[in-house]
Amino acid sequence: MSRYLPILLVQAPSRRPGTDASLDGFEHEIATHLSDFGPGFEPRRMVVYPELHLCAAEGTPEERTALLESIAEPLNGSRIRRLGAIAARLGVWLLPGTICERGEDGHLYNTAPVFSPDGELVAAYRKCFPWRPFEPYRPGKRFEVFEVPGVGRVGLAVCYDIWFPEVSRQLAWMGAEVIINQAATTTCDRAQEQVLVKANAIFNQVFVVSANVAEPTGVGQSLIVDPEGRERAAMSGASAGILTDVLNLEEVERVRTFGTAGLNRVWSQFRTDDPVLELPMYEGRLDPRRLS
């Protein structure tokens, strides 16, 4: 039986943080996009927005930090409750873009929440690699995957995380067959990021969905890549728009079984009698017995 995951990726400019009225507009926008996304996949439809979509902060670094400090909320705050209600009313898996979280330790975190079609907060990933020295967030210390029942497991990586191969490898090791990369790239290195999105897909044999912010602040160029690194859908520029696709997660199993291009079976590379490979930079090791 095929395991289909319908994706609606929204490439949009970031919204200024505001009142419940602004979230009314956000909900209406999602509903409008969904009206063009064919029925028949409920409740599996997944809506993905870029990093910090609801928490736009402009100005000098000091001004941005001051705004983020003023809008940060804990994960039990009113913004999270409202977003859960939106997911439930629309009956979708909602990734509304990362939010500025006030952690229990008082620090700011760039956190990616995930809501189920029942409105439950099923995952909240704190970005492990904030883009330093430009972002004021504390790094997270835990990787996150979540289950879409009857479909498969999805992992979370935020923007600059994609530059660190350890993130996607760990998510794949935790069972992720799709990695959602929410980005707010405003700089000219989006071309390199697109290469990294494909590379992460190839060496982990997973789908990667990369949603980037649109103009006027972002450079867009969102894309969806399959487990062999091929573009399934892509935005060529920075204009606002949407990408729709239906991922068949059985493709991950096919590629891992028969290999990329029918050749490279990286997840069955090791044998139990292979030597242990020490990884001194991690004070750890690559033990074939754990990967066989």
Side-chain angles (χ1 to χ4, degrees):
M1 177 179 174
S2 298
R3 297 184 286 125
Y4 292 127
L5 180 64
I7 295 282
L8 171 63
L9 182 161
V10 184
Q11 178 171 293
S14 300
R15 292 170 173 262
R16 293 283 293 178
T19 63
D20 282 351
S22 66
L23 289 179
D24 287 341
F26 179 58
E27 180 175 358
H28 183 264
E29 178 181 286
I30 299 172
T32 301
H33 291 321
L34 287 171
S35 67
D36 295 326
F37 197 8
F41 294 110
E42 300 85 348
R44 295 181 173 184
R45 295 181 299 178
M46 180 173 290
V47 179
V48 180
Y49 275 82
E51 179 185 21
L52 295 171
H53 177 67
L54 299 172
C55 301
E58 300 174 352
T60 66
E62 295 76 17
E63 290 170 338
R64 293 196 300 269
T65 299
L67 176 61
L68 292 169
E69 288 280 0
S70 71
I71 66 169
E73 289 186 8
L75 289 179
N76 59 358
S78 60
R79 184 187 298 119
I80 288 290
R81 293 194 298 271
R82 181 67 192 283
L83 290 170
I86 290 172
R89 277 194 293 272
L90 297 178
V92 296
W93 290 88
L94 178 60
L95 284 72
T98 65
I99 61 167
C100 185
E101 178 200 354
R102 176 75 66 188
E104 60 283 348
D105 55 6
H107 291 296
L108 300 182
Y109 291 91
N110 188 353
T111 301
V114 179
F115 301 91
S116 75
D118 297 323
E120 178 187 0
L121 179 66
V122 297
Y125 166 68
R126 290 172 171 174
K127 184 177 182 179
C128 286
F129 292 96
W131 191 42
R132 289 175 167 166
F134 307 101
E135 296 181 352
Y137 309 104
R138 293 277 291 177
K141 58 181 181 180
R142 187 177 68 189
F143 300 106
E144 289 283 348
V145 298
F146 63 94
E147 190 85 25
V148 177
V151 179
R153 306 195 88 185
V154 179
L156 301 171
V158 176
C159 202
Y160 201 40
D161 287 335
I162 208 73
W163 289 74
F164 297 86
E166 299 84 356
V167 175
S168 56
R169 176 51 54 93
Q170 181 68 25
L171 292 172
W173 185 79
M174 294 168 70
E177 296 167 293
V178 181
I179 294 174
I180 306 293
N181 175 235
Q182 296 167 287
T185 300
T186 62
T187 47
C188 62
D189 56 348
R190 183 61 180 168
Q192 284 79 10
E193 283 188 345
Q194 290 180 310
V195 173
L196 293 170
V197 167
K198 295 176 182 179
N200 278 281
I202 292 167
F203 64 67
N204 291 300
Q205 297 177 324
V206 296
F207 288 97
V208 180
V209 176
S210 182
N212 191 31
V213 69
E215 59 188 5
T217 55
V219 297
Q221 300 172 70
S222 301
L223 70 164
I224 299 173
V225 176
D226 78 2
E228 295 185 272
R230 295 184 291 244
E231 286 187 9
R232 290 183 56 89
M235 299 285 285
S236 60
S239 299
I242 61 172
L243 294 177
T244 57
D245 201 353
V246 180
L247 312 184
N248 182 359
L249 271 58
E250 292 294 333
E251 281 291 288
V252 175
E253 183 175 344
R254 177 189 66 79
V255 173
R256 290 181 177 180
T257 299
F258 298 104
T260 299
L263 297 170
N264 302 294
R265 295 180 289 275
V266 295
W267 288 100
S268 57
Q269 168 70 21
F270 298 105
R271 300 172 181 168
T272 55
D273 60 347
D274 284 344
V276 171
L277 180 62
E278 300 292 342
L279 300 174
M281 74 172 291
Y282 297 111
E283 297 183 355
R285 53 174 40 188
L286 179 60
D287 188 338
R289 291 167 296 184
R290 291 176 58 82
L291 294 172
S292 300

